[in-house]
Amino acid sequence: MARKQSLEAAVEGLKRFLSEKEDSNEEVAAKIEKLTAELRRIDVAPIDPTEMIKRGFNYFKTNNFDKHREFYHELAESQHPKFLVFACSDSRVSPSIILNFKPGDAFMVRNIANMVPAFDQLRYSGVGAAIEYAVSVLEVPNILIIGHSRCGGIQRLMTHPEDGSLPFDFIDEWVKIGKPAAAKVKATFGNLPIEEQCAHCEREAVKLSLINLLTYPYVRTGIAKKKLQLMGGYYNFVEGSFHVWNFETRFSPTVDMQ
Amino acid sequence: MAAPSPTPFSRLFNSSVDACPTSLKTATILGPKLKSGETEQAHLRLLTSFKHLKFKASKEPPGLTQQLDNRKLESLTESENGCDLFEDLKHRFLRFKRRKFKENLDHFQNLAQGQAPKFMIIACADSRVCPSIILGFQPGEAFMVRNVANLVPTFESGPSETNAALEFAVNSLKVENILVIGHSCCGGIRALMSMEDEVDSSSFIRSWVVVGKNARLITKSAASNLSFDQQCRHCEKESVNHSLLNLLTYPWIEEKVAEGALSLHGGYYDFIDCTFEKWTLDFKASNREKNSRFAVKNQFYWC
């Protein structure tokens, strides 16, 4: 439909369609999503960045904010997110899109390769500040770290400097947080092609980051009080799959040696 | 791109997503298997366990929560246990998969090969200000860094997560635009403005927000007659400008901005009134003006 019409006609058609369909259902919503995506990709001219965000903001305001004013009014007073999410900065893996987080659902940190370094107030105050704010101030009950397929940061970790490439001062310093995960993958799966090793490392780095969370005192306190749950996730955008797991630590029952 | 081959994707999509996923041969949409109480040997040496949670049989078809319409807005449900949480995440993911992934398969397959975003966004981690939602960025469009109070440390301050992302976005992905977005009622900025002059060494938040200390100084001198709330608001915007200046301390950023290959933009989202301001750093004009710190152009206010 959209391909046969001009952009303006397509937008008009969508507006009419939206106004006529009072009760949305799955099929209709999917059609709307598809149309919107197609419209956005129609190349009228190289998109002006200002125009792009203006359209995005107007869409949000008209279709979301204005229709749920009371909800947003309450949200403006205070936030009570249920999640602290760590996700990669990769443009393809926004958790708001793939996990449909609405405003207010998730306090979200995004960095290269979704890493959580061990507690270090001098070097990693940014991550620490986010954890402290989310856990101590906002009291989020869940922390979710999401890794993903084809992660550039993990690839860098696994291939540099062995591949002889020039150093990237800041990137290399950051991704080396994941060195223990890389070492483990190389030891266990070193015979596999590098792409498969990277895929293993993407998951292993999430597990390492979960362990690193335990080095933050407020995280330990939250877990001890059973107010905090740690979870790992893995989004594979090649397959279109999502995996999630809990991270729990426990001691086995004590064995009497007598 | 050629039409997708019938195998992996169509197999995934043809499997019934409404039924309880008892068979996980074709599609592991969500990881844990259904046998209750089963635990697996974890890879880690620590005594951790991956708990396989039993899925509750859904009474209604999953994912039929309405998207944005005049009825109630879906919100995250309270979960007492991990099973409800997993169920919730599953519904969320399947909805994305049905509505977006499946409908735009070619596009997602292209994206899987590589990303070429036009934007790098630096935004606050605040749950209310996700740029994917408020500015409509779709998968592939924006490389995103989110930290407390959307701060950018200087080049001289040494390696950090924010500048690692900058290095990747600018030198590897070669983004054309960097947009720093501040917002109303920012807790991080409030913490910055509340700081006593002597550094409280026990707090991470303070160790981090001190990156914005120049913005606080400017605000205190320019807006000392205003209420604390108004000062915070002033600082939220001042801090965006301060971050833009900090971006220019990176030689490879300044070089590209001078060449015209990279534009630096500031933004401010007010979620009380739902307004958005946007401005662009005018690099050429900034170098000419001696008194003001920098000049702006293409200033917009949307409400």
Side-chain angles (χ1 to χ4, degrees):
Chain A
M1 183 168 82
R3 286 188 188 90
K4 291 178 187 165
Q5 296 171 332
S6 67
L7 180 59
E8 291 75 27
V11 169
E12 280 310 303
L14 186 56
K15 280 184 187 164
R16 242 181 293 123
F17 185 72
L18 283 169
S19 63
E20 282 161 21
K21 295 278 173 202
E22 273 302 314
D23 17 278
S24 333
N25 57 35
E26 281 298 307
E27 206 187 291
V28 168
K31 288 266 182 293
I32 291 171
E33 290 283 359
K34 184 172 186 176
L35 273 173
T36 315
E38 279 181 14
L39 286 170
R40 290 181 75 95
R41 288 202 295 274
I42 288 174
D43 248 0
V44 266
I47 285 271
D48 173 55
T50 303
E51 194 54 37
M52 192 170 160
I53 61 178
K54 180 184 173 188
R55 279 193 220 164
F57 181 69
N58 280 333
Y59 182 89
F60 163 71
K61 188 174 166 77
T62 315
N63 295 293
N64 193 336
F65 192 94
D66 286 344
K67 293 188 175 179
H68 304 280
R69 280 187 176 264
E70 206 183 295
F71 169 76
Y72 281 103
H73 178 73
E74 280 178 32
L75 199 54
E77 301 286 315
S78 63
Q79 54 172 333
H80 302 282
K82 295 293 182 289
F83 284 95
L84 162 61
V85 173
F86 283 90
C88 188
S89 295
D90 192 303
S91 63
R92 302 166 284 189
V93 304
S94 170
S96 299
I97 295 179
I98 63 176
L99 292 179
N100 217 12
F101 285 123
K102 297 288 183 292
D105 282 349
F107 192 80
M108 209 176 296
V109 173
R110 292 186 68 181
N111 63 38
I112 300 257
N114 41 272
M115 301 247 198
V116 179
F119 185 101
D120 187 330
Q121 204 164 332
L122 271 173
R123 285 166 91 193
Y124 305 124
S125 59
V127 175
I131 298 173
E132 184 182 336
Y133 194 79
V135 176
S136 306
V137 178
L138 298 178
E139 296 182 334
V140 296
N142 306 287
I143 303 182
L144 171 62
I145 303 181
I146 307 173
H148 73 96
S149 51
R150 308 246 170 114
C151 182
I154 296 294
Q155 188 186 28
R156 182 74 184 171
L157 168 68
M158 290 289 287
T159 56
H160 181 81
E162 294 81 11
D163 63 350
S165 57
L166 289 170
F168 268 124
D169 297 330
F170 297 131
I171 296 174
D172 294 335
E173 191 59 33
W174 174 251
V175 299
K176 76 180 194 196
I177 292 168
K179 263 199 181 310
K184 186 181 168 194
V185 167
K186 285 179 179 172
T188 320
F189 302 108
N191 53 313
L192 295 179
I194 189 65
E195 296 80 19
E196 287 183 46
Q197 290 188 50
C198 285
H200 281 286
C201 193
E202 284 153 5
R203 287 176 163 92
E204 205 55 50
V206 170
K207 294 177 190 171
L208 173 66
S209 290
L210 286 167
I211 294 169
N212 284 344
L213 275 174
L214 295 177
T215 61
Y216 294 80
Y218 13 89
V219 172
R220 280 204 301 278
T221 309
I223 291 172
K225 291 183 177 174
K226 298 195 193 307
K227 284 182 165 182
L228 191 57
Q229 192 164 276
L230 306 189
M231 302 160 66
Y234 185 74
Y235 170 47
N236 187 329
F237 51 59
V238 183
E239 285 181 358
S241 67
F242 194 89
H243 289 72
V244 67
W245 60 91
N246 268 338
F247 175 52
E248 295 161 14
T249 56
R250 60 176 172 85
F251 291 101
S252 71
T254 313
V255 174
D256 192 339
M257 293 278 121
Q258 287 170 32
Chain B
M1 181 124 187
S5 69
T7 27
F9 289 95
S10 55
R11 216 190 298 143
L12 285 171
F13 302 137
N14 287 334
S15 69
S16 168
V17 295
D18 287 345
C20 256
T22 49
S23 156
L24 292 178
K25 287 189 214 103
T26 53
T28 313
I29 293 170
L30 201 58
K33 293 190 180 182
L34 290 183
K35 294 175 198 164
S36 64
E38 178 185 284
T39 55
E40 228 179 56
Q41 228 12 66
H43 294 293
L44 301 167
R45 285 208 198 126
L46 280 185
L47 289 174
T48 56
S49 67
F50 290 166
K51 216 177 205 174
H52 290 281
L53 299 175
K54 192 162 88 170
F55 277 70
K56 287 196 269 200
S58 302
K59 291 209 170 108
E60 66 269 348
L64 264 195
T65 45
Q66 301 302 323
Q67 215 193 359
L68 311 158
D69 60 13
N70 286 325
R71 283 169 260 165
K72 68 167 192 202
L73 189 67
E74 175 191 296
S75 62
L76 198 56
T77 52
E78 282 281 359
S79 299
E80 286 300 308
N81 58 47
C83 186
D84 288 336
L85 207 55
F86 277 24
E87 197 69 17
D88 182 68
L89 289 173
K90 174 190 166 192
H91 291 164
R92 289 168 174 279
F93 178 69
L94 289 181
R95 200 160 118 181
F96 154 72
K97 189 163 181 181
R98 247 195 310 274
R99 291 185 176 183
K100 283 204 144 123
F101 196 92
K102 184 175 154 186
E103 291 290 327
N104 299 287
L105 198 53
D106 278 356
H107 180 56
F108 278 95
Q109 282 184 319
N110 277 333
L111 276 184
Q113 302 309 313
Q115 54 172 334
K118 292 266 184 292
F119 278 94
M120 173 182 184
I121 305 290
I122 298 166
C124 187
D126 192 300
S127 66
R128 301 166 284 191
V129 304
C130 180
S132 302
I133 299 175
I134 63 171
L135 296 180
F137 287 114
Q138 298 304 302
E141 290 180 347
F143 189 80
M144 220 175 286
V145 166
R146 291 181 70 182
N147 62 36
V148 170
N150 43 273
L151 295 169
V152 178
T154 59
F155 176 74
E156 293 80 16
S157 59
S160 71
E161 65 269 28
T162 305
N163 53 35
L166 278 174
E167 191 173 36
F168 187 71
V170 175
N171 293 335
S172 187
L173 294 179
K174 301 199 187 333
V175 296
E176 294 164 8
N177 302 279
I178 301 180
L179 171 60
V180 180
I181 309 174
H183 71 95
S184 51
C185 311
C186 181
I189 295 293
R190 199 173 188 89
L192 171 65
M193 291 297 290
S194 310
M195 270 169 69
E196 299 301 324
D197 288 327
E198 62 275 4
V199 176
D200 174 1
S201 57
S202 66
S203 163
F204 257 115
I205 296 173
R206 288 169 186 229
S207 303
W208 169 248
V209 298
V210 79
V211 165
K213 67 179 185 298
N214 281 352
R216 172 186 141 107
L217 284 170
I218 291 167
T219 301
K220 290 278 188 196
S221 68
S224 54
N225 53 314
L226 301 177
S227 70
F228 184 68
D229 281 347
Q230 287 170 321
Q231 286 186 31
C232 285
R233 192 180 171 84
H234 194 276
C235 191
E236 284 153 6
K237 296 186 187 182
E238 195 58 54
S239 161
V240 171
N241 286 333
H242 181 240
S243 290
L244 293 178
L245 284 176
N246 283 354
L247 283 173
L248 289 175
T249 63
Y250 294 84
W252 22 272
I253 292 184
E254 196 193 12
E255 197 182 305
K256 289 194 159 69
V257 172
E259 285 169 14
L262 178 63
S263 298
L264 306 183
H265 314 272
Y268 184 77
Y269 171 48
D270 182 336
F271 53 57
I272 301 169
D273 300 324
C274 195
T275 61
F276 196 88
E277 288 173 63
K278 175 251 156 200
W279 59 96
T280 301
L281 176 68
D282 189 340
F283 184 74
K284 291 193 171 65
S286 300
N287 279 339
R288 286 198 291 271
E289 287 186 36
K290 290 174 198 153
N291 293 330
S292 58
R293 290 168 302 118
F294 66 78
V296 298
K297 61 180 180 179
N298 298 344
Q299 212 166 351
F300 294 93
Y301 180 79
W302 302 315
C303 56

